[in-house]
Amino acid sequence: MVLTGSEQASALVGRHFRMVDHYEVGREKVREFARAVRAFHPAHWNEAAASDLGYDALIAPITFSSIVWLLLQRKMFESVLTGYDISQMLHTEQNIKVHRPLVAGDRLRCDSCMESFRQFGDMDFMVIKTVLTNQHRELLQTSHATVVAQTGTHVETELVTAVDGVIMSGQAMTARRSPTLDSRAQAVESGMVECFDEQMPGSGVDETRVRVPCTMPEFDELTVGAELPTRVIPLSRGDLVNYAGVSGDSNPIHYSDHVAVTAGLPDVVSHGLLTMGLGASYLTDWLGDPAAIIDYGVRFSGFAPVSAEKHSEIEFRGRIKALDPVRRAATIALTATCDGRKLFGRAMAEVQLR
């Protein structure tokens, strides 16, 4: 019996999966990703600047880990979530807790579990927890993603056909629904295995508790309600194609006019994780220390349409919402708008300051 996507997701709650192979963070990949999200702090580009912050290799932007999340997601769709089509999926929320920044040379081990699944009307809501550790078993990042799938109505044949026609070879739903191996063998074949006798990683030194930040603003200079400088970032189709290639996000609504219109969108739209990454770069520019961001979460509420003829503009603003004098930490509320359209329903970052 072939299970529906909803049945597959419900059966995965509480189960622990791990990518078979590690992902090695390369110094040139760090630079590629930094360019894609406009992260121009020197610590992303040269080792001397990273050393000044206390690290012996290039520091990756905070959302660099999205490369690994997307790789894991693709493996899940190829093995244990074959009942869903990419055209049904919407990434609605992402939170990242940083224990120690990712740096070039880290060999990442990725563990994941479906924390919860619920249905509301014709929508499936899934919360997926992902933990990244390195070759020394150091805890690096813990993230939570909320993904929503529309399942109550039949996915329009025209949309499925449009997606299958342009998506990366091997990722079309028709290709994923024709395996001959059982689900466990498929998981091994796709590079993901279920861990039956191990707990999810969750212990280790939290570096954010002991590191002395090197931020430009000092904690004692800040006041609740103060505004960060506004920044406007242009975004073109070339930027979207570049990010798709660097990150591995192959959803064609980000590059195909036909698929975007068929999906009911006004135009090709920016990746949610790209706008999240741009927001992190905006924050890093103000901080002057990319390792000072210790928690960052975004609830996505809108898309930034990007025309084929001219670039769009995303305006980022920030405001200090709270200050913690014991930890010398600040909570920053971020906003992102494009042509008056809100891209973030809620975006918060916790940062530590000198």
Side-chain angles (χ1 to χ4, degrees):
M1 181 179 69
V2 178
L3 298 179
T4 65
S6 301
E7 291 168 333
Q8 291 173 345
S10 179
L12 291 179
V13 174
R15 291 164 62 183
H16 173 193
F17 292 88
R18 176 179 299 145
M19 285 171 50
V20 174
D21 202 359
H22 67 271
Y23 178 94
E24 185 159 353
V25 180
R27 68 194 296 269
E28 298 310 321
K29 190 68 174 183
V30 169
R31 289 169 171 164
E32 285 181 8
F33 193 87
R35 182 180 294 109
V37 297
R38 312 291 211 285
F40 297 118
H41 189 282
H44 302 310
W45 297 85
N46 69 76
E47 284 81 3
S51 179
D52 289 342
L53 298 179
Y55 299 94
D56 58 4
L58 299 186
I59 301 172
I62 186 173
T63 59
F64 182 94
S65 47
S66 62
I67 297 172
V68 186
W69 305 334
L70 290 166
L71 183 61
L72 175 69
Q73 176 181 292
R74 184 159 66 247
K75 293 180 184 300
M76 292 185 76
F77 282 124
E78 291 170 351
S79 56
V80 294
L81 286 174
T82 56
Y84 288 115
D85 182 75
I86 192 171
S87 61
Q88 297 171 270
M89 310 303 295
L90 184 63
H91 191 170
T92 62
E93 192 165 353
Q94 182 69 53
N95 179 266
I96 308 168
K97 179 175 177 56
V98 180
H99 307 282
R100 196 270 270 163
L102 310 185
V103 298
D106 276 335
R107 299 175 68 179
L108 304 180
R109 187 176 75 164
C110 180
D111 292 76
S112 185
C113 73
M114 184 85 71
E115 279 208 333
S116 66
F117 170 83
R118 65 185 177 91
Q119 291 181 297
F120 186 78
D122 61 354
M123 309 296 285
D124 287 356
F125 291 79
M126 292 163 268
V127 177
I128 302 171
K129 177 181 179 181
T130 304
V131 178
L132 296 181
T133 53
N134 66 7
Q135 65 269 36
H136 307 298
R137 299 300 176 95
E138 294 172 313
L139 187 62
L140 304 180
Q141 281 191 6
T142 302
S143 67
H144 288 83
T146 301
V147 179
V148 180
Q150 182 175 351
T151 60
T153 57
H154 181 68
V155 180
E156 293 294 335
T157 302
E158 183 182 0
L159 179 56
V160 173
T161 302
V163 171
D164 280 7
V166 300
I167 198 170
M168 187 181 295
S169 300
Q171 293 187 27
M173 192 169 191
T174 51
R176 291 190 292 107
R177 281 186 165 174
S178 58
T180 57
L181 302 174
D182 63 41
S183 60
R184 201 180 227 177
Q186 292 165 30
V188 173
E189 184 71 16
S190 69
M192 187 179 74
V193 294
E194 185 166 1
C195 302
F196 294 97
D197 302 317
E198 294 183 49
Q199 297 293 320
M200 285 279 288
S203 60
V205 176
D206 192 337
E207 185 177 291
T208 61
R209 306 294 183 190
V210 297
R211 178 179 180 269
V212 178
C214 302
T215 56
M216 291 189 294
E218 293 186 26
F219 179 85
D220 296 331
E221 299 172 347
L222 304 182
T223 57
V224 174
E227 302 281 341
L228 276 61
T230 301
R231 182 181 177 190
V232 176
I233 297 179
L235 207 59
S236 69
R237 286 283 181 92
D239 294 321
L240 301 192
V241 172
N242 179 58
Y243 183 79
V246 170
S247 69
D249 189 336
S250 60
N251 193 326
I253 64 171
H254 305 306
Y255 57 82
S256 168
D257 293 280
H258 177 53
V259 171
V261 171
T262 305
L265 296 167
D267 210 329
V268 162
V269 297
S270 173
H271 312 69
L273 287 172
L274 171 55
T275 57
M276 184 178 183
L278 294 172
S281 299
Y282 159 72
L283 191 56
T284 294
D285 285 346
W286 173 71
L287 287 167
D289 180 355
I293 304 174
I294 57 176
D295 203 303
Y296 181 35
V298 172
R299 181 178 301 146
F300 304 109
S301 64
F303 299 104
V306 180
S307 166
E309 286 77 33
K310 63 178 182 178
H311 66 248
S312 298
E313 292 185 338
I314 301 180
E315 181 182 271
F316 290 95
R317 294 176 178 270
R319 179 176 58 84
I320 299 173
K321 185 174 182 181
L323 294 170
D324 182 344
V326 175
R327 298 171 53 242
R328 298 183 70 82
T331 301
I332 312 295
L334 299 172
T335 62
T337 57
C338 181
D339 291 332
R341 183 183 291 106
K342 289 179 61 176
L343 306 183
F344 299 161
R346 181 178 182 275
M348 293 288 177
E350 186 176 9
V351 302
Q352 286 194 309
L353 301 121
R354 62 185 175 94

